[in-house]
Amino acid sequence: MRDEGGRRLLAAALSVAALVAAVVLLVVLGGILLDLVVVVAFVLAVALAREAFRVHVELPGAPRPSRPVLFFNPRSGGGKTSQFHLVEEARRRGIVPIELGPGEDLRELVAGAIEDGADALAMAGGDGSQAIVAEIAAARGLPYACVPAGTRNHFALDLGVDRDDVVGALDAFVDGGERRVDLATVNGRVFVNNCSIGLYADAVQRPGYRDAKLRTLLEVAPEVTRADGSGTTLRWSGPDGTEGGEMVALLVSNNVYRLGGPIGSGTRPRLDEGVLGVAAAPAGLRLRQWRAPTFVVDAPGEVPAGIDGEAAMLSPPIRFASMPGALAVRIARGHPGASPSTEVPRGLRPTVAKLARIAINGDHAVVHEVENTREGSSDGHVRGGETRDHQPR
């Protein structure tokens, strides 16, 4: 931990120095070459800032399960299970591996394992599969571990699981710490990340999406955003009571995403605030974001959706709800234990100020920030009932 603190201190100091150098060069000099130097200095400052804001939270200990089980999809993540020898590594740790074969029902596999005495559940696969296992673990009161063997592993990232250490994630059931996090539901279906309606949701429905995501999004955009600039017709109310209508995209997430800014964008600083994050992009693409414990959307008929990246059709009224503290998550001691944006302030000025404090005062504990009550938050993002508008950059 001392070495980690030293790295954070050095990274913070170098990041502040790079930012100052970029500003000085921009003000004092000029020219194309200088512009390039400024860009390089800024990129370096951002990279160093990310290192400085890295956290490692000491989670409370938990008893080692007597019969942990690892469910794995050998096709996920381009075959990460075989690439990292997860079956052998699991057995070496006393974890029973169970393969999800073609056509098999994951829920039935999990139910069967619990009947056979499983007292802890882990999943190595995509976020859709993670949601199924997490839902059952929460319902049965069993500890759960996320093994980042999928393609993007967004849930693992926000939990504080090191996505580059697939094998090490298994140590969650050896000597891992435990934290409680929220789940969320849409029309009774549990999700761990988000449910999207609109542009992304329409793209997910296309057969070629997984193999050509960007191309599919570009193909769908003109269809979702019609010539008059309008989008999908939905009915919903914001926190101030104003009603929403036609829109390009609506994203409802399990806790609030950090949107905008070069550090921590696209991640959730907290997974334990007992709220949904709602981000609505009406025609014109000006994003409006707020939080609420529940959210309801109405529509003229069934609506295509993407739930944790998987295609679905939702019947109105579409009801979203948070499940506060529903899931007991085990995380390996060597992994961060918290989201990479946990310590990142909102806005450039607070970010630079905090980097300066880290550089001057050295490393500092972050455990109290992660364990704060639900009513407060150390990172300054949107609070209950408050809205923010984000203009894409």
Side-chain angles (χ1 to χ4, degrees):
M1 292 297 292
R2 184 174 298 176
D3 291 341
E4 182 178 331
R7 288 197 302 272
R8 296 184 68 207
L9 188 153
L10 179 60
L14 291 175
S15 177
V16 173
L19 283 171
V20 171
V23 172
V24 170
L25 289 171
L26 191 61
V27 171
V28 175
L29 302 174
I32 297 178
L33 181 60
L34 176 66
D35 291 344
L36 178 60
V37 173
V38 170
V39 170
V40 171
F42 180 77
V43 170
L44 178 61
V46 170
L48 290 167
R50 286 175 179 156
E51 177 66 24
F53 285 127
R54 284 179 61 184
V55 297
H56 188 283
V57 177
E58 293 295 333
L59 299 173
R64 182 170 180 169
S66 59
R67 187 176 169 78
V69 174
L70 170 70
F71 302 93
F72 66 94
N73 184 343
R75 300 169 297 282
S76 290
K80 286 184 180 179
T81 299
S82 58
Q83 177 185 349
F84 292 102
H85 308 288
L86 275 184
V87 171
E88 296 83 357
E89 293 290 347
R91 288 185 177 134
R92 192 165 66 84
R93 291 165 171 80
I95 302 171
V96 178
I98 298 180
E99 178 178 348
L100 174 64
E104 289 190 293
D105 188 297
L106 180 56
R107 291 182 182 276
E108 292 181 0
L109 286 179
V110 177
I114 294 174
E115 288 179 6
D116 290 340
D119 61 352
L121 310 176
M123 180 68 212
D127 285 335
S129 299
Q130 299 288 354
I132 292 173
V133 178
E135 176 186 2
I136 298 173
R140 299 295 190 98
L142 300 177
Y144 154 89
C146 177
V147 178
T151 302
R152 293 171 293 278
N153 305 300
H154 291 311
F155 190 44
L157 177 67
D158 291 339
L159 283 174
V161 176
D162 185 347
R163 296 186 296 178
D164 295 326
D165 186 16
V166 179
V167 172
L170 296 172
D171 290 333
F173 286 154
V174 177
D175 62 350
E178 183 174 288
R179 60 178 297 204
R180 297 202 72 90
V181 301
D182 309 330
L183 297 174
T185 62
V186 53
N187 284 2
R189 174 174 170 174
V190 169
F191 61 92
V192 294
N193 292 330
N194 58 68
C195 175
S196 58
I197 299 171
L199 177 59
Y200 176 74
D202 283 357
V204 169
Q205 306 286 328
R206 305 300 174 98
Y209 171 74
R210 292 191 181 277
D211 296 325
K213 297 179 178 61
L214 179 59
R215 185 181 65 193
T216 306
L217 283 169
L218 292 175
E219 289 174 351
V220 171
E223 302 172 21
V224 177
T225 308
R226 299 191 289 271
D228 60 0
S230 61
T232 305
T233 301
L234 301 172
R235 292 187 296 277
W236 46 270
S237 295
D240 56 359
T242 58
E243 293 189 1
E246 291 185 337
M247 43 153 287
V248 174
L250 178 70
L251 183 78
V252 182
S253 56
N254 174 26
N255 284 271
V256 183
Y257 278 100
R258 172 69 56 82
L259 301 176
I263 305 172
S265 182
T267 64
R268 290 163 289 178
R270 300 279 293 273
L271 281 175
D272 59 357
E273 293 191 296
V275 297
L276 303 168
V278 184
L285 293 179
R286 185 171 182 83
L287 185 64
R288 188 181 182 204
Q289 186 182 19
W290 69 94
R291 62 177 59 196
T294 61
F295 184 61
V296 180
V297 177
D298 206 353
E302 280 197 322
V303 177
I307 304 176
D308 286 336
E310 296 186 354
M313 297 297 294
L314 298 175
S315 299
I318 305 170
R319 301 182 184 278
F320 297 89
S322 174
M323 300 173 61
L327 184 64
V329 179
R330 298 285 177 89
I331 299 176
R333 291 291 183 187
H335 288 192
S339 167
S341 59
T342 295
E343 278 206 297
V344 182
R346 181 178 292 279
L348 179 60
R349 184 177 297 176
T351 299
V352 174
K354 190 161 187 177
L355 284 170
R357 288 199 300 272
I358 295 174
I360 295 171
N361 300 327
D363 196 25
H364 54 291
V366 299
V367 178
H368 68 283
E369 297 190 9
V370 176
E371 295 179 346
N372 261 343
T373 60
R374 297 186 187 279
E375 286 74 26
S377 175
S378 62
D379 67 0
H381 58 245
V382 192
R383 301 181 189 280
E386 183 181 350
T387 64
R388 291 184 186 271
D389 288 333
H390 297 271
Q391 186 67 39
R393 300 176 182 178

